[in-house]
Amino acid sequence: MKRYILILLATMISAHFCEAQQQNTFKSWNPAKDSLNVIQGRGWSEGFKSDYDRLPADAENKVRKAVWNLSENSAGLSLRFRTNAENIVVRFRVKGPVQMPHMPATGVSGVDLYTRDLNGKWLWCAGKFAFGDTISYQFNHISGNDQHLKDREYTLYLPLYNSISWMEIEVPGASDFKALPVSSEKPVVVYGTSIAQGECASRPGMAWASILGRKLDRALVNLGFSGNGMLEPEVLDYIGQIDARLYVIDCLPNLTRVKSADLRKRIVNTIGTLQLKRPGVPILLTEHDGYSEAEVQPVKKKEYESVNAIMKATVDSLKKAGVNDIYLLSKEEIGQDIESMVDGVHPNDIGMMNYANAYEKKIKSIFRESEGKNAIMIPVRQRRDASTYDWETRHQEVLSSIASKQPEVVFIGNSITHFWGGLPEAQVANGKKSWSRYFGSGHVVNMGFGWDRIENVLWRIYHGELDGFSPEQIVLMIGTNNLEINTDAELLAGLDFLLEAIHSRQPASRILCMGILPRRGMESRIARLNKRIATMLAKKRINYADAGTLFLNRNQRIEESLFSDGLHPNEDGYERLGKFISNRITVKK
């Protein structure tokens, strides 16, 4: 008996030791050696001299040496990955000094880690850092409480004012880890000065361009060059190579010594060069944001007022001459004051936030991406159904599908639409027969996303899912996932807001808005809500149809035989729904 106990005890100790050893064993990822293109925030996918440069190698002999040297700083670059690791270690080496007199080492040479929860909300991760020949950041105990997520998605911002010679990211050996490739979305491209590069942010994620990228939830390329944003033709030629969603030109703080006539010429040439290379792409030009000590130094005040007057007059004259797609962000809109700068010139974190807020408001206006005050009217991505499908991947599949098919009919919705059938094909399809029977032609695209709410559809609309084609018919079925978190009044307002966004992008399309299908335990509320939706849409002259009665029994409760789980129709339920909708739209065979 004693022998048995000793053997059992030895086995338990050995198992515990092996488990501890496994937990202490890390696996590493070197982004520069990944077969995927994983370094986010660059305008080019290849052709770099060093792994973390911002300009391609052939620029070394074409732009000024100062610009080239600054392009080796990793400002604006980031890495995206998913992992379930509770501990993440980042190790790297840099080529230059770790810090500057007026900017902390955490901004000059540090990294910054952000993540999202399952509803798309940004969260920040604090790391324990050490600066030496090798810089290290340790992020411990960061698993969080999202039980529905098997992993988290992270964005790691790289140093603002240093050049990386080597980097590895380590996670425990037993952890899952997946590097995410560069987004295919057209980026916002920023060309500017040290302020754009990120001086004097406390950490990389607090540079205004980084903050703006999170606020817009868009790819952003940072071509800020400290002291060297001079509107030079050689640099503009490279900027024009980037197929951008928007160009931001924020160079006036480096041009206060340039003569008035030369400055006008540079501004006109900048706009002409970019519009020649990329016609139709909007250009946002930015005024000098001023100096925090200008009121006690009149010379400083005159400096920025002079260049701002030239910028405004030049933009106004070009608009009067018929030049389109140019916009101006004013000093007043940026709103810096005596509390928002470090040295009278460079923003502190308050100043960076002022910049980001001003840019966000202006750019969303240019993109026609209005927002409401309620969360249901603020576009956001989600990962609530990550175990069934990848939301971001499906978004890319939808974009590819509409680009190749130019569909005449699109269905927009949540899992009820997603898991019905059609293309892009889903892992789950509960109504393939009825979908094929009623909508099986190649002219129909399924834009349903599992667990989507109104605000998630709004994000998808703002990010291209109704751009580049002209559907004859749009069928919208959305709202059931908002029932548990929103009031009826909020849901009505959100639906109205979404329909406005859809109509503004596809004004010629016929829109059929479906009532929310009944679901177990909510039949009465949904019936009342659908009547209010019908009344709202009648005033807006949008077609409305309520298929709810098809799914209710005599007691006005759901007919369980038509559902798989009290919410999602089964094959018989989809058959009824397909016939109902097909009688109200036209689908070419």
Side-chain angles (χ1 to χ4, degrees):
M1 184 64 179
K2 290 182 179 180
R3 175 182 171 83
Y4 173 77
I5 293 175
L6 288 173
I7 293 174
L8 180 61
L9 182 61
T11 302
M12 293 173 62
I13 292 172
S14 176
H16 178 74
F17 175 78
C18 290
E19 181 181 357
Q21 190 177 43
Q22 186 179 37
Q23 289 177 349
N24 291 329
T25 301
F26 280 73
K27 57 185 178 184
S28 63
W29 172 55
N30 185 328
K33 294 182 178 180
D34 200 299
S35 59
L36 294 174
N37 182 17
V38 296
I39 300 174
Q40 317 281 330
R42 298 195 292 195
W44 300 264
S45 59
E46 58 185 6
F48 295 96
K49 180 179 179 180
S50 298
D51 295 323
Y52 297 95
D53 286 353
R54 291 184 288 155
L55 287 177
D58 60 5
E60 184 175 10
N61 297 319
K62 295 180 181 179
V63 302
R64 286 187 298 109
K65 182 174 178 59
V67 173
W68 172 255
N69 290 342
L70 289 162
S71 77
E72 294 181 305
N73 294 165
S74 55
L77 303 188
S78 62
L79 303 167
R80 293 174 62 223
F81 54 88
R82 290 177 184 163
T83 182
N84 61 352
E86 294 188 8
N87 303 302
I88 300 173
V89 179
V90 183
R91 303 184 194 279
F92 59 101
R93 295 192 181 100
V94 295
K95 299 178 183 178
V98 170
Q99 66 183 42
M100 299 190 297
H102 63 317
M103 184 175 177
T106 50
V108 175
S109 305
V111 295
D112 212 358
L113 189 65
Y114 285 73
T115 186
R116 299 176 192 261
D117 66 12
L118 77 173
N119 294 314
K121 178 183 176 182
W122 284 103
L123 307 170
W124 179 70
C125 305
K128 181 180 180 182
F129 50 83
F131 289 88
D133 291 339
T134 297
I135 300 172
S136 67
Y137 273 70
Q138 296 185 39
F139 302 91
N140 299 320
H141 312 297
I142 56 175
S143 60
N145 297 315
D146 288 341
Q147 297 179 356
H148 298 286
L149 283 179
K150 65 179 182 180
D151 56 23
R152 279 189 178 276
E153 179 181 314
Y154 294 91
T155 295
L156 182 75
Y157 295 98
L158 304 187
L160 295 170
Y161 264 82
N162 224 319
S163 305
I164 297 175
S165 59
W166 166 85
M167 171 174 280
E168 283 189 348
I169 297 174
E170 300 175 344
V171 296
S175 302
D176 295 330
F177 186 94
K178 179 182 180 182
L180 297 180
V182 169
S183 169
S184 61
E185 185 177 57
K186 292 183 180 182
V188 173
V189 177
V190 176
Y191 174 33
T193 68
S194 56
I195 298 172
Q197 184 168 343
E199 190 176 354
C200 293
S202 63
R203 45 189 174 83
M206 288 306 296
W208 72 253
S210 300
I211 300 170
L212 180 63
R214 294 194 299 277
K215 285 178 172 289
L216 298 177
D217 203 1
R218 288 184 177 276
L220 191 144
V221 174
N222 186 336
L223 293 177
F225 302 115
S226 184
N228 287 275
M230 306 296 288
L231 301 183
E232 296 166 290
E234 298 81 5
V235 178
L236 291 170
D237 284 341
Y238 278 95
I239 291 172
Q241 292 176 15
I242 306 172
D243 187 10
R245 181 70 175 84
L246 169 75
Y247 295 109
V248 174
I249 308 298
D250 190 351
C251 291
L252 285 193
N254 285 163
L255 297 169
T256 57
R257 306 297 183 188
V258 175
K259 293 182 179 180
S260 298
D262 189 13
L263 179 56
R264 290 190 190 96
K265 183 178 179 181
R266 294 192 194 197
I267 295 170
V268 171
N269 179 68
T270 295
I271 295 170
T273 298
L274 294 178
Q275 290 197 333
L276 182 64
K277 288 178 173 289
R278 300 290 177 179
V281 177
I283 301 171
L284 174 58
L285 300 113
T286 307
E287 289 186 354
H288 193 310
D289 68 328
Y291 303 108
S292 59
E293 81 275 32
E295 293 302 320
V296 296
Q297 292 192 22
V299 173
K300 290 284 190 179
K301 186 174 183 179
K302 186 177 178 180
E303 273 189 10
Y304 76 73
E305 287 181 341
S306 176
V307 294
N308 285 349
I310 293 170
M311 173 69 86
K312 187 176 187 308
T314 304
V315 171
D316 287 345
S317 65
L318 289 171
K319 286 183 176 180
K320 290 177 181 178
V323 178
N324 298 317
D325 301 316
I326 55 175
Y327 304 85
L328 183 66
L329 181 69
S330 70
K331 173 188 181 298
E332 289 71 27
E333 289 174 297
I334 299 170
Q336 304 292 30
D337 58 29
I338 61 172
E339 312 295 351
S340 60
M341 295 184 187
V342 171
D343 52 4
V345 179
H346 298 100
N348 55 26
D349 287 354
I350 297 172
M352 290 293 182
M353 189 62 72
N354 290 341
Y355 255 107
N357 288 336
Y359 271 118
E360 177 192 16
K361 184 177 180 180
K362 181 68 73 171
I363 292 173
K364 286 182 176 178
S365 174
I366 295 171
F367 289 172
R368 296 180 297 127
E369 295 180 0
S370 58
E371 292 184 359
K373 295 181 179 180
N374 297 328
I376 199 172
M377 301 178 188
I378 300 175
V380 65
R381 64 176 74 200
Q382 58 96 355
R383 290 191 69 208
R384 287 183 289 273
D385 202 9
S387 61
T388 305
Y389 78 107
D390 185 87
W391 195 90
E392 185 175 340
T393 298
R394 182 163 177 82
H395 172 62
Q396 295 300 323
E397 291 171 348
V398 165
L399 295 180
S400 297
S401 184
I402 61 178
S404 62
K405 295 180 180 300
Q406 295 290 297
E408 296 171 356
V409 180
V410 295
F411 280 71
I412 302 174
N414 48 47
S415 57
I416 295 173
T417 302
H418 184 180
F419 302 134
W420 190 345
L423 298 173
E425 191 171 0
Q427 295 180 9
V428 178
N430 297 322
K432 275 188 174 182
K433 292 181 181 178
S434 59
W435 182 279
S436 179
R437 180 179 297 113
Y438 298 112
F439 318 116
S441 76
H443 302 284
V444 182
V445 167
N446 184 332
M447 293 185 186
F449 284 58
W451 258 112
D452 255 16
R453 297 171 181 158
I454 289 171
E455 57 268 31
N456 307 128
V457 176
L458 188 64
W459 188 98
R460 297 195 278 118
I461 299 305
Y462 284 172
H463 286 254
E465 290 193 11
L466 285 181
D467 295 343
F469 70 111
S470 301
E472 294 182 8
Q473 181 79 58
I474 297 171
V475 180
L476 177 66
M477 294 194 296
I478 196 67
T480 193
N481 291 323
N482 290 94
L483 289 170
E484 295 180 347
I485 65 168
N486 294 110
T487 65
D488 289 0
E490 289 172 339
L491 201 152
L492 281 166
L495 183 61
D496 184 33
F497 197 83
L498 174 61
L499 285 165
E500 287 291 337
I502 292 173
H503 179 70
S504 70
R505 283 157 174 74
Q506 295 292 346
S509 298
R510 298 189 305 275
I511 300 175
L512 174 63
C513 183
M514 298 291 297
I516 299 173
L517 289 185
R519 56 187 291 181
R520 186 186 298 139
M522 292 189 178
E523 295 92 339
S524 297
R525 179 188 174 188
I526 291 172
R528 292 192 302 270
L529 179 57
N530 280 344
K531 289 180 180 179
R532 295 179 66 180
I533 294 174
T535 300
M536 178 184 74
L537 297 186
K539 295 177 181 179
K540 300 175 72 68
R541 297 185 178 179
I542 292 178
N543 293 328
Y544 171 78
D546 184 1
T549 57
L550 300 177
F551 293 88
L552 297 174
N553 58 27
R554 293 180 180 178
N555 297 322
Q556 299 302 300
R557 296 291 181 264
I558 65 167
E559 178 52 62
E560 295 284 354
S561 64
L562 300 175
F563 291 85
S564 61
D565 55 6
L567 170 62
H568 299 90
N570 56 23
E571 186 68 66
D572 292 337
Y574 277 124
E575 170 63 31
R576 292 194 181 192
L577 185 60
K579 184 176 181 180
F580 180 88
I581 294 175
S582 68
N583 288 333
R584 289 160 175 79
I585 66 173
T586 301
V587 180
K588 292 183 180 179
K589 301 298 183 182

